[in-house]
Amino acid sequence: MGSEASTLAAPQPLVPTPVLLHVYDLGENFEVQALNAVLGALGTGAFHCGVEVYGHEFSFNYKSEGSGVFKCPPRSCPGHTYRTSVEMGFTTLTPSQVDRILNVLKHEWPGTSYHILENNCCAFSDAFCRALGVGPIPMWTRNLAGAGAAAASAYKVVVGVPLTLGAAMYAVGEQLSQWDPTCSTRQKREPTQFSAY
């Protein structure tokens, strides 16, 4: 009888839970998928990332108010084309511990802090994976953003002013419109709706 009571009071062993990094081509058009096929040979690409743990995928995007952290069904992020998943390892954190981490991240990652090169979904996924104890995300998912951030920093050093996202996007749009006469830099895409977390 005495041994039975001690068995009931013993803590349950932690069951390691898989953590997956889901990688998407940015957007839903064929051109980005083709570009990523070429860039993949160079070890980079233009990607969106999300982290799956306990059956939910979490990521980060721009939002004018509140947190940019959101959740969606695994491998189904709206506005992007699923490409592949990377097994990041196993976390021994419980669902309630993961929820506490996400609550902290929600406050540390406001939607207005989103920056396409430096504070994006890949940076969030990296921070979340580290908090889960599975290490950094693969460099190939972040190389293009890192190269863009380095180019923007170099531009600031050489020209003396920061390269704004708007100026960069306008320049890219102008280049694309010269190659493809059907491309309009004035077209606006409707914002994608995400589930708030």
Side-chain angles (χ1 to χ4, degrees):
M1 188 158 153
S3 64
E4 191 176 309
S6 64
T7 305
L8 295 175
Q12 296 295 318
L14 294 175
V15 177
T17 300
V19 177
L20 298 169
L21 177 72
H22 298 305
V23 182
Y24 301 79
D25 292 319
L26 284 180
E28 297 175 317
N29 63 35
F30 175 74
E31 289 83 4
V32 174
Q33 294 171 33
L35 174 67
N36 279 345
V38 172
L39 292 175
L42 303 173
T44 191
F47 301 115
H48 169 81
C49 290
V51 177
E52 179 184 351
V53 63
Y54 287 111
H56 298 284
E57 181 175 330
F58 301 91
S59 192
F60 174 73
N61 67 315
Y62 174 81
K63 198 171 166 191
S64 60
E65 293 180 7
S67 178
V69 176
F70 68 93
K71 71 177 176 179
C72 64
R75 297 173 307 282
S76 302
C77 185
H80 302 292
T81 306
Y82 174 77
R83 175 172 278 273
T84 191
S85 295
V86 178
E87 294 178 358
M88 295 300 298
F90 293 85
T91 187
T92 56
L93 298 175
T94 65
S96 62
Q97 290 171 318
V98 171
D99 282 342
R100 283 196 293 273
I101 289 170
L102 284 164
N103 283 327
V104 170
L105 292 174
K106 281 173 52 178
H107 294 291
E108 291 179 351
W109 292 79
T112 56
S113 71
Y114 183 89
H115 185 277
I116 196 166
L117 298 176
E118 296 170 354
N119 205 51
N120 56 31
C121 57
C122 296
F124 169 82
S125 294
D126 187 65
F128 188 29
C129 281
R130 288 173 190 265
L132 293 172
V134 294
I137 66 173
M139 278 305 298
W140 61 266
T141 63
R142 299 186 67 170
N143 283 350
L144 193 63
S153 294
Y155 180 88
K156 182 177 180 182
V157 169
V158 172
V159 178
V161 294
L163 178 64
T164 65
L165 176 59
M169 295 301 281
Y170 180 79
V172 169
E174 286 300 305
Q175 287 296 317
L176 290 175
S177 66
Q178 290 173 14
W179 293 331
D180 179 2
T182 64
C183 178
S184 169
T185 58
R186 292 186 180 89
Q187 290 177 335
K188 287 191 174 182
R189 187 174 147 205
E190 289 300 313
T192 303
Q193 296 298 317
F194 297 96
S195 298
Y197 176 75

